[in-house]
Amino acid sequence: MMDIGQRDGQDEKVSQIRAESGYGSETSLRRHGSMLSLTSAASALSATSTSSFKKGHRLREKLAEMETFRDILCRQVDTLQKYFDSCADAVSKDEFQRDREVEEDEDDFPATTRPDGEYNHNNNGSKEKLFSPASPKGMNGIDFKGEAITFKATTAGILSTLSHCIELMVKREDSWQKRLDKELEKRRRVEDAYKSAMNELKKKSHYGGPDYEEGPNSLINEDEFFDAVEAALDRQDKIEEQCQSEKVRIPRLTPVPAGDAYSTIGTHRYATKVEEMVQNHMTYSLQDVGGDANWQLVIEEGEMKVYRREVEENGIVLDPLKATHAVKGVTGHEVCHYFWDTSVRLDWETTIENFNVVETLSDNAVIVYQTHKRVWPASQRDVLYLSAIRKILATNENDPDTWLVCNFSVDHDNAQPTNRCVRAKINVAMICQTLVSPPEGDKEISRDNILCKITYVANVNPGGWAPASVLRAVAKREYPKFLKRFTSYVQEKTAGKPILF
């Protein structure tokens, strides 16, 4: 056994060798290019991983540290490998020396003394060969303990830096994911805008030339034609809504002729034709078509029902339409008055581009020419018609009187057809009856006690070459809108005014 003095001497040698080799010190790490001191690297496992991140360390710096630690670790691995190789060589030499001495002992007498201190006698009488510990200098001057400490510190620094890298990459992944989500949302919006723009482009007259408009040789199929018409109508509706919200209606005091003027048959040149039309409407238009198999119910919204009977002639849609409605708070006289009065026509009619009264036949009959707004790719339409308002007295005292406005196409020298518009032919009637519910007690009749039953019939020949499916779809869409818009206008105009029976 070595005494304490010998051990102290060896510790001093180890310290000396460690100092000479330069390993296990802070200067050693700096000499190897480390960016962290040995102290900070050794305590990295216990330190919080976010401290350096808070100081501004970024992933690039951490990767540089990883590169430095890798170089240090490679050198340390080489150094430790040399040490292990030296240890292996020393062990091999020691075993060879033992084998030789054992052979010599078998030939000679066992030695009982230890002059040079290389044998040690045990208590049981056996002897043990003492080999002096391998000198650190004999191992190429390597301090194994110092190398182990440095190796541990380097691996701790690698683990700490790796944890920083992972943390930074996770944070960066979250940031990139948010950016990716934003880019995907931007892309989705751009794609939607692109699709919308392409659809709008398809619906506009970007084709050029008459072959891509309504006509006998049109190159637009029915679906494209309908999409374009629908888009144009939608745009007109939006424009009309904005105009209505900004428009301030100017009250107009229109003179209302006496009731006798509406009841008598006129003496103008179309008087006979007007009377014929009135009688036809009173006979056929008021008939209930709910159970008629030839009439289809296409729209039902509350009190309003719209029927259609499909008729085509030479490929042109001539579908008669019939609508029934019930409106509270107005009379048949008021509804027909506002429908017939041309001075308020533009207040409620949104499809007209312009119109003018060509001729006034009497107090209750005029000839009107009007052009309708064009709905591309359909051609623009105009119409020339006689408009007459009549009051039909009831033949039975229990039945209400009937108010009627009939509009039907006529010819006039001052409004000849032109190439700019397709002349449409119409036969339209607004037929109204007023129902009164008696008020309670001696109260006067108010608008809460009146109800107007409306029957609206329309026979229109649009002319031109518009596809039948498109015309039917547009009629189904526009007629209910017109009826609701017009009746709402009458309710608004008559609110708070004396009842006009």
Side-chain angles (χ1 to χ4, degrees):
M1 298 292 292
M2 288 187 298
D3 57 12
I4 297 176
Q6 289 177 330
R7 291 183 179 178
D8 293 339
Q10 290 179 355
D11 291 340
E12 292 176 0
K13 290 180 179 180
V14 169
S15 300
Q16 181 181 359
I17 292 171
R18 182 186 304 172
E20 292 175 357
S21 62
Y23 286 93
S25 66
E26 184 176 350
T27 57
S28 171
L29 288 177
R30 288 201 183 98
R31 198 162 51 241
H32 284 82
S34 174
M35 298 179 66
L36 294 176
S37 66
L38 178 62
T39 304
S40 64
S43 62
L45 292 177
S46 60
T48 58
S49 61
T50 58
S51 59
S52 62
F53 178 75
K54 292 179 180 180
K55 293 179 181 180
H57 286 250
R58 295 182 179 180
L59 184 61
R60 188 177 301 174
E61 297 173 354
K62 290 300 177 183
L63 291 176
E65 289 182 12
M66 292 284 289
E67 190 75 17
T68 302
F69 279 125
R70 187 198 66 176
D71 296 339
I72 297 174
L73 194 61
C74 288
R75 294 190 184 96
Q76 290 174 344
V77 168
D78 293 339
T79 302
L80 291 175
Q81 185 64 44
K82 291 179 182 179
Y83 178 82
F84 292 144
D85 292 343
S86 299
C87 289
D89 293 340
V91 171
S92 297
K93 291 179 181 179
D94 186 31
E95 290 179 352
F96 178 74
Q97 184 68 24
R98 284 185 180 183
D99 292 341
R100 288 186 59 187
E101 291 182 357
V102 168
E103 292 177 357
E104 292 176 358
D105 289 344
E106 290 179 352
D107 296 336
D108 302 335
F109 291 101
T112 57
T113 60
R114 189 180 56 175
D116 54 358
E118 61 180 345
Y119 291 96
N120 184 31
H121 291 275
N122 294 329
N123 294 331
N124 56 5
S126 64
K127 67 175 182 178
E128 177 182 1
K129 173 71 175 174
L130 286 179
F131 295 95
S132 59
S135 173
K137 291 291 185 179
M139 296 294 182
N140 298 325
I142 298 175
D143 179 8
F144 178 75
K145 185 175 181 181
E147 288 294 333
I149 293 174
T150 307
F151 185 82
K152 182 177 180 181
T154 305
T155 54
I158 290 176
L159 293 176
S160 175
T161 306
L162 187 59
S163 65
H164 280 292
C165 292
I166 293 174
E167 181 180 355
L168 291 172
M169 285 187 288
V170 169
K171 292 179 180 294
R172 182 163 294 186
E173 181 183 11
D174 295 338
S175 175
W176 280 106
Q177 185 63 42
K178 292 179 181 179
R179 293 180 63 180
L180 176 62
D181 294 339
K182 291 181 179 179
E183 291 298 325
L184 290 176
E185 179 64 22
K186 289 181 181 178
R187 179 175 179 176
R188 185 189 64 79
R189 290 199 296 265
V190 170
E191 288 178 350
D192 292 343
Y194 173 76
K195 291 179 181 179
S196 177
M198 290 300 296
N199 291 333
E200 289 294 326
L201 193 61
K202 290 179 181 179
K203 296 173 184 178
K204 291 182 179 179
S205 56
H206 66 286
Y207 300 100
D211 290 341
Y212 292 94
E213 298 179 358
E214 180 187 350
N217 301 315
S218 177
L219 300 181
I220 304 178
N221 59 42
E222 289 193 13
D223 292 337
E224 293 174 342
F225 199 102
F226 174 75
D227 291 341
V229 169
E230 188 176 37
L233 291 174
D234 288 339
R235 286 194 295 270
Q236 288 186 7
D237 289 343
K238 291 181 180 179
I239 294 173
E240 182 59 30
E241 288 178 2
Q242 294 176 355
C243 293
Q244 291 294 333
S245 62
E246 298 173 359
K247 184 190 301 183
V248 178
R249 293 196 177 105
I250 301 174
R252 296 181 178 88
L253 299 177
T254 56
V256 180
D260 294 340
Y262 293 133
S263 302
T264 59
I265 300 175
T267 58
H268 53 82
R269 66 182 185 275
Y270 287 104
T272 304
K273 184 65 175 178
V274 171
E275 187 62 22
E276 180 185 346
M277 288 292 184
V278 169
Q279 294 304 319
N280 285 337
H281 286 304
M282 292 298 296
T283 302
Y284 301 108
S285 298
L286 292 178
Q287 292 179 356
D288 185 13
V289 296
D292 193 335
N294 294 324
W295 290 86
Q296 301 174 5
L297 178 63
V298 293
I299 294 291
E300 183 174 6
E301 295 182 9
E303 295 291 336
M304 182 177 63
K305 296 180 181 179
V306 180
Y307 299 88
R308 179 179 64 199
R309 183 162 57 89
E310 294 189 359
V311 176
E312 288 190 29
E313 183 178 324
N314 298 325
I316 299 177
V317 175
L318 304 175
D319 294 352
L321 275 91
K322 183 174 183 177
T324 60
H325 199 13
V327 183
K328 293 182 178 181
V330 295
T331 65
H333 186 183
E334 292 169 335
V335 172
C336 288
H337 169 72
Y338 286 106
F339 185 72
W340 179 79
D341 189 1
T342 56
S343 63
V344 296
R345 181 69 52 83
L346 295 180
D347 287 349
W348 56 266
E349 179 60 273
T350 61
T351 65
I352 293 178
E353 184 174 88
N354 56 68
F355 81 99
N356 64 286
V357 177
V358 177
E359 183 180 352
T360 301
L361 300 174
S362 64
D363 290 340
N364 64 338
V366 293
I367 296 178
V368 178
Y369 172 76
Q370 64 189 32
T371 58
H372 292 266
K373 296 176 182 177
R374 187 187 178 191
V375 181
W376 185 90
S379 300
Q380 189 172 22
R381 260 69 177 176
D382 65 357
V383 60
L384 177 68
Y385 63 94
L386 186 151
S387 180
I389 180 171
R390 288 286 302 277
K391 176 182 179 182
I392 311 300
L393 298 176
T395 56
N396 189 333
E397 61 179 8
N398 294 326
D399 294 335
D401 294 336
T402 302
W403 285 85
L404 180 146
V405 175
C406 63
N407 300 336
F408 58 91
S409 293
V410 295
D411 296 325
H412 200 282
D413 294 337
N414 295 337
Q416 296 293 331
T418 64
N419 294 330
R420 190 174 66 90
C421 298
V422 175
R423 179 65 56 90
K425 303 293 184 180
I426 66 169
N427 182 8
V428 176
M430 177 78 73
I431 308 170
C432 303
Q433 293 177 331
T434 305
L435 304 180
V436 180
S437 58
E440 298 179 358
D442 297 332
K443 293 182 180 179
E444 294 184 357
I445 296 176
S446 66
R447 293 195 175 273
D448 295 333
N449 304 119
I450 58 177
L451 176 72
C452 180
K453 292 183 63 177
I454 300 174
T455 301
Y456 178 79
V457 293
N459 294 271
V460 179
N461 181 351
W465 299 269
S469 61
V470 175
L471 292 176
R472 291 191 173 106
V474 171
K476 181 179 178 180
R477 163 188 167 136
E478 293 300 312
Y479 276 107
K481 286 172 55 179
F482 146 72
L483 202 54
K484 288 189 291 185
R485 181 174 63 246
F486 172 68
T487 53
S488 298
Y489 169 78
V490 176
Q491 288 178 316
E492 176 187 341
K493 292 292 289 184
T494 58
K497 294 182 180 180
I499 301 175
L500 183 63
F501 287 101

